[in-house]
Amino acid sequence: MRRNMPNLADIARMAGVSTATVDRVLHRREGVRQTTVQRVLLAASELKYLPEQDLEAVRLSPPTQLLFVLPDRSSKFLRMLGEWVQCSQTQWAPYNVNCRVQFIQGFDPDAMASALLGRGRGCDGVAFMPLEHPKVREAVDTLANEGVATVTLVSDLSHSRRIAYVGLDNGSAGRTAAYLIARFVGQKRHAKVALIAGSLSYKAHVEREAGFLQLFSEQYPQMQVVGLREGYDDEQVNYRQTRALLEQHPELSAIYNIGGGSEGVGRALKEVGKEHKVVFIGHGLTPDTRAMLIDGTMDAVITQSPQSAIMNCVRIFANLREKRDLSAGVEASRSQVIFRENLP
């Protein structure tokens, strides 16, 4: 007697799912978690329900298309983020995603909105470092209406329909910088401290400034903040801003660089012979900030792992596709304070 051929019920029984789920998987319809898809395909393969080439076609569902939009002339740390995306495609294979990067002109809301609506519409998800601007917020809302999810990276976007934020608690980062400066400066009365922001168009920089000033107000009221300048994460601009600060306040005790371009600050300090006299705290561990930690120009760098940040974005989009909780498997973003003695 001829043995009965396996059917959907046999596959469902072996995979521990319903026949309706088996049907959705084999016909490549949405709504089934990837882990369940793999169980069904394994059962179908063992039962020899379909030829191997047909099963392989089902198994190789199109990858989720992800786009990372980052400023082009911004900090070297952000360039590292983009390079990590481009050079690590093999790491995304288990998540069945394809990641691309688009660098855009920094601090330009029109360029950012154009990138989101232009390239973003052809993707399944977009991760980006947003400017706090109505045009950017409107672009995010438009993508949400069209079914394209967005994740904010490094800096958040107020009152928007992004699905998640990946980055540090920037208020806490600013407070940490203030605490470090106060401890490094010591008991000097009425010490003058300067702040240089990348741009107050970034919510992250506004929050870092607020946290910094809050801690000084609460615990170190004798410290005098002599003004906030914007350097647009540009090495040359930061160099000029630092030289102007040192000329205006020759007794300056410390500088906190809220954004990128720290190498410009360091160059100005070295030119006037104050690289070991002015306390210098900044953000983002890069080859430049690493070198300044080693030679003593910088005292500390507050940073986060670029690898973890990108991986968290990938996991969030994978969770969205599989209809899991968005935070499943996502690591908490942790700041690290790097000194010369604990350089990784």
Side-chain angles (χ1 to χ4, degrees):
M1 179 182 292
R2 184 182 177 185
R3 183 178 177 273
N4 291 332
M5 296 294 291
N7 55 33
L8 294 186
D10 297 322
I11 298 172
R13 194 160 38 250
M14 179 175 285
V17 297
S18 68
T19 54
T21 297
V22 174
D23 184 72
R24 283 200 297 272
V25 170
L26 297 181
H27 289 90
R28 303 175 69 177
R29 290 195 287 268
E30 295 181 355
V32 185
R33 294 183 177 181
Q34 193 63 30
T35 53
T36 304
V37 170
Q38 296 305 319
R39 270 205 329 272
V40 169
L41 294 177
L42 180 61
S45 177
E46 291 183 4
L47 292 171
K48 301 188 182 327
Y49 179 78
L50 289 175
E52 189 59 37
Q53 62 268 26
D54 292 344
L55 284 173
E56 190 64 20
V58 176
R59 188 177 289 113
L60 296 177
S61 56
T64 299
Q65 300 296 324
L66 303 181
L67 175 68
F68 288 79
V69 178
L70 298 169
D72 63 350
R73 76 177 185 105
S74 201
S75 71
K76 287 184 171 62
F77 181 79
L78 295 177
R79 296 292 306 188
M80 285 171 58
L81 280 176
E83 290 166 5
W84 182 258
V85 175
Q86 293 170 323
C87 298
S88 305
Q89 289 295 336
T90 56
Q91 294 207 20
W92 320 137
Y95 297 92
N96 195 27
V97 298
N98 180 38
C99 300
R100 294 173 293 156
V101 180
Q102 180 176 359
F103 288 104
I104 61 169
Q105 183 176 344
F107 310 106
D108 184 341
D110 289 309
M112 181 166 287
S114 177
L116 291 173
L117 294 176
R119 295 284 296 277
R121 279 177 162 142
C123 300
D124 300 300
V126 180
F128 71 114
M129 182 176 175
L131 292 167
E132 190 71 35
H133 195 280
K135 290 182 179 179
V136 178
R137 193 173 296 108
E138 183 67 18
V140 170
D141 289 350
T142 299
L143 289 177
N145 289 334
E146 296 178 5
V148 180
T150 56
V151 169
T152 52
L153 180 61
V154 179
S155 187
D156 205 359
L157 182 62
S158 303
H159 311 298
S160 69
R161 292 170 62 189
R162 54 83 172 151
I163 63 169
Y165 162 64
V166 172
L168 299 180
D169 178 336
N170 287 295
S172 175
R175 289 176 66 89
T176 299
Y179 178 78
L180 289 170
I181 282 177
R183 299 298 291 177
F184 273 115
V185 170
Q187 299 301 315
K188 190 185 299 184
R189 301 291 297 176
H190 306 298
K192 290 186 177 181
V193 179
L195 280 71
I196 299 176
S199 172
L200 297 181
S201 296
Y202 285 136
K203 186 178 181 182
H205 293 191
V206 173
E207 291 173 338
R208 290 174 188 174
E209 178 201 3
F212 186 97
L213 297 176
Q214 184 183 49
L215 188 93
F216 266 22
S217 176
E218 292 172 359
Q219 300 184 29
Y220 304 100
Q222 75 276 14
M223 296 284 188
Q224 181 184 357
V225 178
V226 295
L228 174 68
R229 296 169 180 246
E230 290 183 297
Y232 302 101
D233 289 344
D234 184 273
E235 177 183 351
Q236 287 300 116
V237 177
N238 278 357
Y239 167 78
R240 293 193 296 269
Q241 295 284 34
T242 304
R243 287 299 302 261
L245 283 166
L246 293 171
E247 290 171 9
Q248 186 178 357
H249 305 284
E251 72 282 21
L252 192 68
S253 297
I255 295 175
Y256 171 37
N257 184 31
I258 294 175
S262 285
E263 54 274 30
V265 179
R267 180 157 58 92
L269 290 173
K270 290 175 182 177
E271 282 189 2
V272 298
K274 291 196 173 183
E275 66 271 30
H276 298 141
K277 298 176 182 177
V278 175
V279 175
F280 178 22
I281 307 292
H283 282 267
L285 185 62
T286 66
D288 298 289
T289 56
R290 183 186 184 89
M292 287 189 288
L293 283 171
I294 291 172
D295 69 21
T297 302
M298 292 191 79
D299 295 280
V301 170
I302 301 169
T303 193
Q304 60 184 308
S305 166
Q307 298 93 330
S308 294
I310 300 302
M311 182 60 76
N312 279 343
C313 291
V314 170
R315 284 174 175 149
I316 288 168
F317 286 118
N319 288 339
L320 179 67
R321 180 190 62 213
E322 303 301 329
K323 297 180 170 55
R324 291 190 294 261
D325 184 283
L326 292 181
S327 62
V330 175
E331 299 177 358
S333 297
R334 294 184 175 88
S335 63
Q336 298 173 283
V337 181
I338 307 296
F339 306 98
R340 180 171 60 183
E341 286 71 21
N342 71 338
L343 273 167

